[in-house]
Amino acid sequence: MVVTICVGSSCHLKGSREIITRLETLISEYKLKNQVELNGAFCMGQCVKGVCVKLDGELFSLSPKDTDSFFHGEVLRRLT
């Protein structure tokens, strides 16, 4: 599974670094390093929607406070 987080200037200002850090922590806690790959990308063209995150090609808009629910509701759900 590939999770790509936008690190362009707009998403960076909206908390992309916090999202990356939290996802790294969750992936480690759930021992998913061999199943989930985190990537960064510059501008996905959806700047007004929040931090852009692609999960296997599907686009999501997150804020740092949404990260845990995104991980549990999308990442873990797709792995089970």
Side-chain angles (χ1 to χ4, degrees):
M1 170 181 295
V2 177
V3 180
T4 304
I5 301 101
C6 180
V7 293
S9 28
S10 178
C11 287
H12 174 73
L13 292 172
K14 293 176 184 175
S16 63
R17 184 71 219 151
E18 294 168 67
I19 291 171
I20 292 167
T21 301
R22 184 62 184 148
L23 287 175
E24 287 172 334
T25 300
L26 290 165
I27 289 166
S28 180
E29 285 176 4
Y30 282 83
K31 298 173 180 31
L32 299 174
K33 288 184 181 184
N34 293 328
Q35 297 178 60
V36 180
E37 177 184 334
L38 285 183
N39 291 324
F42 287 102
C43 198
M44 295 181 188
Q46 302 293 318
C47 303
V48 297
K49 293 185 177 181
V51 177
C52 295
V53 176
K54 278 190 182 177
L55 175 60
D56 288 337
E58 186 178 348
L59 187 64
F60 295 85
S61 295
L62 299 181
S63 69
K65 66 182 172 93
D66 301 328
T67 306
D68 282 34
S69 61
F70 167 77
F71 179 81
H72 291 97
E74 295 295 336
V75 176
L76 284 182
R77 179 182 61 82
R78 294 174 191 222
L79 290 174
T80 58

